[in-house]
């Protein structure tokens, strides 16, 4: 019987044995699933590129005075900066934010592996302190509302503390899970490289999408194109997240179920399945989530100009998850 959670090892394994294990454990059949949605995903990317090129060409071909100039920023005392300067500043901000995020992520992994239990208790203590501070602030406001809300916040704080103390035996299990996650990520750094590559792909798509939206917003009668761009934005980002999620899940599953006979490059194998045989299914799931997000945004925009009452608008938005 395979030992779960053992250190990854590839010694003493053979390719046929690994192949049988993969087929039995993960149902790898080589069959492409939901190909239609994968093709639709590629088609919408082509549509975004086409919109960016066609509408961008129409904007540049328009006479200088035919398009209204963009309004100046609110409260601006100086003329707006040039587009090149703004682009350089945005790229600098993105670079700094990416570096800080990478540093904090590495620090977070180290903290998870070295002191997961202490991290859990520290987070619980901080949440309790914030709840107590919130209760004290509400009590200081005075009045019936402040006293009632402060008492409710204080009771919730006491309930959280009692729950943690009653289930403190589960903290060891949670700490073990967090340590295992940190160990897997450090044992297979390709998962971190995949996350960085996904962030870069999302950034490149955001640049293309922004160019298409900026050109479309300057042209009349572009409601259909704008709606398509909105759906494409959510769908593409959801698909990128789904690919990363499926790849990391496949890597962790290989480590958990196949240790100590983990096949070589489990992240690469999981990524290959995510972008080939399972890509259509990931696109389908991402389409469902992105369709709901698009409906929410369009409903929020339409509700501001709808002639119906506020109660009807609030009910519709509540059904959509607002």
């Amino acid at each position: 019987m395979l030992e779960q959670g053992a250190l990854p090892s590839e010694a003493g394994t053979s390719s046929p044995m690994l192949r049988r294990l993969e087929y039995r454990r993960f149902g790898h059949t080589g069959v492409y699933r939901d190909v239609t949605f994968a093709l639709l995903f590629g088609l919408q990317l082509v549509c975004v590129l086409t919109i960016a090129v066609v509408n961008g060409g129409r904007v540049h071909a328009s006479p200088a005075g035919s398009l209204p100039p963009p309004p100046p920023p609110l409260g601006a005392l100086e003329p707006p900066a040039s587009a090149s300067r703004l682009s350089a500043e945005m790229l600098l901000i993105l670079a700094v934010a990416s570096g800080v995020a990478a540093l904090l992520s590495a620090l977070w992994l180290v903290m998870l592996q070295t002191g997961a239990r202490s991290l859990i208790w520290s987070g619980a203590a901080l949440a309790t302190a914030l709840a107590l501070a919130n209760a004290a602030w509400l009590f200081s406001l005075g009045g019936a509302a402040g006293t009632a809300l402060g008492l409710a916040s204080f009771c919730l704080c006491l309930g959280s503390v009692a729950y943690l103390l009653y289930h403190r035996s589960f903290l060891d299990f949670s700490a073990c899970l967090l340590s295992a996650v940190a160990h897997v990520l450090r044992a297979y750094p390709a998962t971190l490289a995949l996350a960085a590559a996904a962030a870069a792909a999302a950034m490149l798509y955001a640049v293309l999408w922004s160019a298409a939206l900026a050109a479309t917003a300057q042209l009349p009668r572009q409601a259909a194109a704008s709606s398509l761009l909105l759906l494409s934005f959510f769908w593409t980002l959801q698909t990128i997240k789904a690919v990363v999620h499926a790849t990391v899940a496949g890597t962790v599953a290989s480590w958990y179920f196949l240790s100590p006979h983990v096949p070589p490059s489990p992240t690469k194998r999981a990524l290959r399945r995510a972008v080939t045989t399972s890509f259509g299914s990931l696109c389908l799931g991402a389409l469902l989530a992105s369709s709901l997000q698009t409906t929410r945004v369009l409903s929020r925009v339409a509700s501001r100009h709808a002639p119906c009452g506020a109660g009807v608008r609030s009910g519709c938005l509540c059904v959509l998850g607002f």
Side-chain angles (χ1 to χ4, degrees):
M1 183 177 178
L2 296 178
E3 181 182 359
Q4 295 178 349
L7 291 175
S9 174
E10 300 173 11
T13 61
S14 60
S15 181
M17 186 269 291
L18 292 176
R19 190 177 301 112
R20 290 195 300 272
L21 285 175
E22 282 187 306
Y23 288 161
R24 185 170 67 253
R25 297 283 188 180
F26 306 113
H28 182 70
T29 60
V31 178
Y32 287 79
R33 304 175 181 88
D34 300 313
V35 181
T36 303
F37 295 96
L39 295 177
L40 287 176
F41 179 78
L43 180 61
Q44 64 91 13
L45 291 179
V46 175
C47 290
V48 172
L49 179 60
T50 303
I51 291 174
V53 173
V54 174
N55 287 352
R58 291 177 60 187
V59 169
H60 286 292
S62 301
S66 62
L67 297 177
L74 295 177
L77 300 178
E78 299 179 357
S82 62
S84 59
R85 180 182 174 184
L86 290 177
S87 301
E89 291 178 353
M90 290 299 299
L91 289 177
L92 179 61
I93 293 174
L94 289 175
V96 173
S98 300
V100 173
L103 180 61
L104 292 178
S105 299
L107 180 61
W108 178 253
L109 290 177
V110 173
M111 293 174 62
L112 283 181
Q113 192 169 17
T114 58
R117 182 181 177 84
S118 301
L119 190 62
I120 293 175
W121 278 109
S122 300
L126 180 60
T128 303
L130 291 177
L132 287 176
N134 181 60
W137 176 73
L138 290 172
F139 279 127
S140 67
L141 295 178
T147 303
L149 292 176
L151 184 61
S153 180
F154 183 73
C155 291
L156 289 176
C157 177
L158 291 181
S160 300
V161 172
Y163 180 84
L164 285 174
L165 293 178
Y166 182 76
H167 295 285
R168 60 182 179 274
S169 59
F170 294 158
L171 291 180
D172 292 333
F173 178 68
S174 300
C176 181
L177 287 180
L178 292 177
S179 299
V181 169
H183 165 74
V184 172
L185 292 178
R186 294 186 64 180
Y188 302 106
T191 55
L192 301 178
L194 173 65
M203 188 178 301
L204 290 177
Y205 170 77
V207 172
L208 172 64
W209 183 85
S210 300
L213 182 64
T216 303
Q218 301 181 56
L219 298 174
R221 297 183 297 276
Q222 295 292 322
S226 299
S227 301
L228 176 61
L229 288 175
L230 184 61
L231 176 62
S232 173
F233 179 79
F234 289 125
W235 192 7
T236 303
L237 294 186
Q238 287 285 350
T239 302
I240 293 174
K241 290 167 57 178
V243 169
V244 174
H245 178 81
T247 303
V248 175
T251 303
V252 175
S254 298
W255 167 80
Y256 185 82
F257 290 105
L258 301 181
S259 293
H261 305 291
V262 180
S265 304
T267 305
K268 182 179 179 181
R269 292 167 178 254
L271 178 61
R272 186 186 304 118
R273 291 192 295 268
V275 298
T276 54
T277 56
S278 300
F279 186 69
S281 300
L282 296 179
C283 291
L284 172 58
L287 177 60
L288 295 177
S290 59
S291 299
L292 180 58
Q293 289 178 304
T294 304
T295 305
R296 288 174 176 174
V297 174
L298 294 179
S299 299
R300 181 184 291 272
V301 173
S303 66
R304 299 174 182 175
H305 307 284
C308 58
V312 177
R313 294 199 300 268
S314 300
C316 295
L317 293 177
C318 182
V319 171
L320 291 173
F322 286 107

